[in-house]
Amino acid sequence: METGLSDAVDRGITVTETAAIGHAIDVSPETTAAFVGRALRGPLNTPVLVRSFGDFQRRFGGSWSRSSLGPSVRQFFEHGGAQLYVVRVANDARGAMVCLPANGSALVMRAVEPGSTEIVRAAVDYDGIDAEDDEFFNLTLQRINPDSGRVEDQELYRKVSYREDAEQFVGDALLTSDLARVVEPMPMHRPECTSAADRQSGASYAEPVQAGTDGKELSDYDLIGSRRDKSGLFALELVDDFDVLYLPPPGKGVDTGPAAILAAEMYCRERRAMLIVDPRADWTTAAEAASGVRDLGYASPNMIGYYPRMRERDSDDIARPAGGAIAGLLCKQDRTTGPWSDLDQPGLGLQRHLVPAASIDDEERELLHRAGLNVITPGTAGRCRVRGALTLGRGSVAHRGFAQLAVQRLCLRVISAIAAATRWAVFAGADRDIAERVRLQVADYLAGLAEFGAFAEDRFVVTCEADARQEPDQVARGITLMLVFQPAPCDAPLSLTLYLTSAGCRVASTAFAPAGAMSA
């Protein structure tokens, strides 16, 4: 098979590598977000990395009135986001169908990617095949951009067979296709040549005989998906790392359901990521928002909530969520000042065309902050600011420090970076100095963070212990790391204990380090 791809978007194939032994840990990696939602076209349940709104338009069809995913992606890049995984989900959508006549029967194919704007066409020729041979044929598949009419992707399968028992059976060959699959009924003969005309002619391709469909409105369960099938938000199992997750509301004026939000929060805890939660459309006052977030049970340090929604300036349109914009601002903040800083600072305002859908006075702002909600208020130069620097961890965490957004995000960054970079030690061969090598690797990392201003004091403590254990077919190590440091926004040191094994990383934390630990 030969393929030709016209874009540079990651097709969702992710290779996970173990970091090199003892290599330096990146102090300021690019923050990556992930959005899960409904799109016009594109692969289903496959994380696709996009680096601009143009990438998203080419791969997923741009904005669509029946989904808020497109506007959210636009907000993300407008507000400083740089890396975004998009997972497209659908409810009972179907791909277009192409039929190639085959002497009274037909070779029937259906597009892999469902949707009313997904156009896949096919051509058959016998070039290079013996004139007496009535089994083999060449098949060309193309994806056509519905707006420009240009060929976006092309696949060529040479000398395939219509016979199911043949080694070169076309149905088997298309199992790896990104464009189409063979469906029943199977042809009784090889498909006829689509045209003897020159291939420059559009008539040489068979167009779809049945258009694809966009399916029904999304339910919570379409967004959640299945871990076993790696669908919905669990498609992110294919992604090595992400920092921020957002589920844009399924449609205009429709809220993301609480079941999807709570499932996403649990997944974020597992993946050490933050979940952005939009205010519901029917929260029209600060009091409704404060009581509503409690009634829904949104209480987790891995959740970021805000109020109110936003409107386009000088527009009477309905209030829209700003979760995509906040995700972009978090990425921009990390790149410029680090996740340990405050989001409410110059250069991190929302675009001027966005204004709050409700005015919040000082008393209401305090009410929202007590509920764990950040507040979007007017700022200088017509750019609104996100004020509060809070997670939704109020009352749900044993230690108040983790209710602070900067403290929680710094700790998540530290844990993820160390867990990924020291995984080599779990499978290292016989080495009595392994604990010291890991300790030095982590100490260098924390020293780098201190230089960037992540800690209130330059002092920190790293201790490491390692023990070998026999596992099936290998010897693996258990690595125990204890870290003591004081995040810049925190009023006292805290400690984290990381237990690294072949199964992953488990973390225990305490709000404050034992007395005297920082002087060790």
Side-chain angles (χ1 to χ4, degrees), residues 258-430:
I261 293 294
L262 293 174
E265 185 277 331
M266 293 178 64
Y267 190 61
C268 282
R269 270 188 283 158
E270 179 183 326
R271 296 296 301 269
R272 294 185 286 273
M274 297 298 298
L275 174 68
I276 296 175
V277 181
D278 294 315
R280 295 182 67 83
D282 59 359
W283 292 348
T284 58
T285 67
E288 289 175 347
S291 62
V293 76
R294 292 191 180 97
D295 293 343
L296 289 168
Y298 294 167
S300 167
N302 289 80
M303 302 172 82
I304 306 171
Y306 69 94
Y307 184 82
R309 291 188 171 202
M310 307 299 288
R311 281 197 174 94
E312 292 283 336
R313 188 180 297 274
D314 301 324
S315 171
D316 294 329
D317 198 6
I318 64 169
R320 297 182 180 277
I326 292 175
L329 288 176
L330 290 173
C331 295
K332 183 179 180 179
Q333 170 197 3
D334 295 355
R335 190 184 313 119
T336 55
T337 59
W340 50 84
S341 61
D342 192 348
L343 195 56
D344 180 13
Q345 57 180 300
L348 293 177
L350 277 74
Q351 294 291 307
R352 291 184 179 86
H353 63 85
L354 294 176
V355 296
S359 297
I360 307 297
D361 61 29
D362 291 343
E363 185 177 344
E364 290 172 325
R365 183 163 58 187
E366 289 301 317
L367 173 66
L368 291 165
H369 285 174
R370 287 196 297 273
L373 291 169
N374 300 286
V375 181
I376 301 179
T377 62
T380 58
R383 299 173 73 95
C384 295
R385 297 275 190 86
V386 182
R387 305 181 189 274
L390 301 167
T391 72
L392 279 169
R394 80 242 175 269
S396 68
V397 289
H399 314 297
R400 65 184 183 276
F402 296 106
Q404 299 179 55
L405 182 59
V407 173
Q408 173 71 355
R409 295 193 66 225
L410 173 60
C411 290
L412 292 178
R413 170 69 62 86
V414 168
I415 295 166
S416 294
I418 291 175
T422 60
R423 188 163 174 77
W424 63 269
V426 175
F427 301 102

